[in-house]
Amino acid sequence: MERIACLIIGYVFGLFQSAFIYGKLHGIDIREHGSGNAGTTNTLRVLGTKAGLIVLAGDIIKCILAIVLCGMLFGKSNPDEIYLLKLYAAAGAILGHNFPFYLHFKGGKGIAATAGLILAFHPYFIVVGVILFFGAFLITHYVSLGSLLVYAGLMIQMVVCGQMGLFSTSQAILNEMYVITALLTILAYYKHRENIARLLKGEERKTYLTKKNKQ
């Protein structure tokens, strides 16, 4: 029951579609511009760095809030499942972001929301996530590559930390956590399938925190 509740709570938070809302406040539907994706990167390219950072913050915060709320509601009564419930809350937020019902299920790709998961899940995950994303981005300027590496790192780190006993729970719970993380990873790679194809062809568009995006 707690799992379903966390998933639903997360989904509700995920429905706060920052890119769409910000775009509407500035007179556009972000999904009709640029790549058509309602996320941070497209907002940055279409509306500028300030807009991209605001949208990024909004999408990160909504996932963190979902995780924190679920922890407050169910953590004390389920201490051995707290990390699992965090994952369900984050999964719900990512699904709400990617597939908001009121936008006909056309949202973003869930990477900023995943950043919220990494920030709120466990401190050990933050360092690896930051290194993987910003390392790839600063070297190549490919947001998609950084995003894909973050998910690969998340999957590996989840299993390694789980088997090392970091989450202090049973193997059955750990296996459930691995399955959820794997499904989120598959979803992220699926949502980035066109980016992957362009990366392989050397045709992926680079992103800068400057006016170069508009060239």
Side-chain angles (χ1 to χ4, degrees), residues 118-135:
I118 291 172
L119 289 172
F121 191 74
H122 194 285
Y124 287 177
F125 283 57
I126 299 174
V127 175
V128 174
V130 169
I131 291 174
L132 288 174
F133 180 81
F134 285 101

Side-chain angles (χ1 to χ4, degrees), residues 85-102:
L85 297 179
K86 284 183 177 184
L87 266 182
Y88 272 105
I94 293 168
L95 291 173
H97 175 81
N98 289 359
F99 308 106
F101 73 89
Y102 66 98

Side-chain angles (χ1 to χ4, degrees), residues 40-53 56 133-134 136-144 202-215:
T40 298
T41 303
N42 194 39
T43 302
L44 186 150
R45 290 171 176 168
V46 174
L47 295 174
T49 301
K50 178 182 177 181
L53 292 176
L56 173 65
F133 180 81
F134 285 101
F137 175 70
L138 293 175
I139 293 172
T140 68
H141 292 285
Y142 292 138
V143 173
S144 57
E203 300 174 353
E204 178 71 328
R205 181 178 176 180
K206 295 185 177 183
T207 300
Y208 301 87
L209 299 178
T210 67
K211 296 180 179 179
K212 288 184 179 182
N213 292 305
K214 298 184 177 180
Q215 293 180 355

Side-chain angles (χ1 to χ4, degrees), residues 1-212:
M1 184 64 184
E2 289 85 357
R3 292 166 171 79
I4 296 174
C6 289
L7 195 63
I8 293 174
I9 289 171
Y11 185 82
V12 171
F13 274 93
L15 293 177
F16 184 83
Q17 235 297 338
S18 305
F20 177 77
I21 294 171
Y22 189 94
K24 282 297 183 180
L25 291 174
H26 290 77
I28 69 169
D29 183 339
I30 194 66
R31 301 171 302 162
E32 297 175 355
H33 298 267
S35 67
N37 183 61
T40 298
T41 303
N42 194 39
T43 302
L44 186 150
R45 290 171 176 168
V46 174
L47 295 174
T49 301
K50 178 182 177 181
L53 292 176
I54 290 173
V55 167
L56 173 65
D59 289 341
I60 289 175
I61 290 171
K62 69 188 181 187
C63 188
I64 292 176
L65 290 177
I67 291 172
V68 170
L69 178 58
C70 288
M72 292 173 60
L73 291 174
F74 307 112
K76 289 185 178 180
S77 58
N78 301 274
D80 60 326
E81 297 182 358
I82 184 61
Y83 289 104
L84 173 64
L85 297 179
K86 284 183 177 184
L87 266 182
Y88 272 105
I94 293 168
L95 291 173
H97 175 81
N98 289 359
F99 308 106
F101 73 89
Y102 66 98
L103 296 180
H104 305 290
F105 302 99
K106 184 181 179 183
K109 296 179 179 177
I111 300 303
T114 300
L117 161 61
I118 291 172
L119 289 172
F121 191 74
H122 194 285
Y124 287 177
F125 283 57
I126 299 174
V127 175
V128 174
V130 169
I131 291 174
L132 288 174
F133 180 81
F134 285 101
F137 175 70
L138 293 175
I139 293 172
T140 68
H141 292 285
Y142 292 138
V143 173
S144 57
L145 178 60
S147 301
L148 293 169
L149 287 176
V150 164
Y151 256 106
L154 176 63
M155 183 71 250
I156 294 171
Q157 197 172 9
M158 188 68 71
V159 175
V160 172
C161 289
Q163 295 309 121
M164 289 178 63
L166 182 66
F167 307 129
S168 301
T169 190
S170 67
Q171 188 62 49
I173 295 297
L174 288 174
N175 291 339
E176 191 172 350
M177 290 170 62
Y178 302 157
V179 170
I180 295 170
T181 307
L183 291 175
L184 290 176
T185 301
I186 292 170
L187 175 61
Y189 275 70
Y190 175 77
K191 295 287 284 185
H192 283 81
R193 61 193 183 282
E194 294 179 357
N195 303 86
I196 294 172
R198 289 193 295 268
L199 283 169
L200 293 174
K201 295 178 182 178
E203 300 174 353
E204 178 71 328
R205 181 178 176 180
K206 295 185 177 183
T207 300
Y208 301 87
L209 299 178
T210 67
K211 296 180 179 179
K212 288 184 179 182

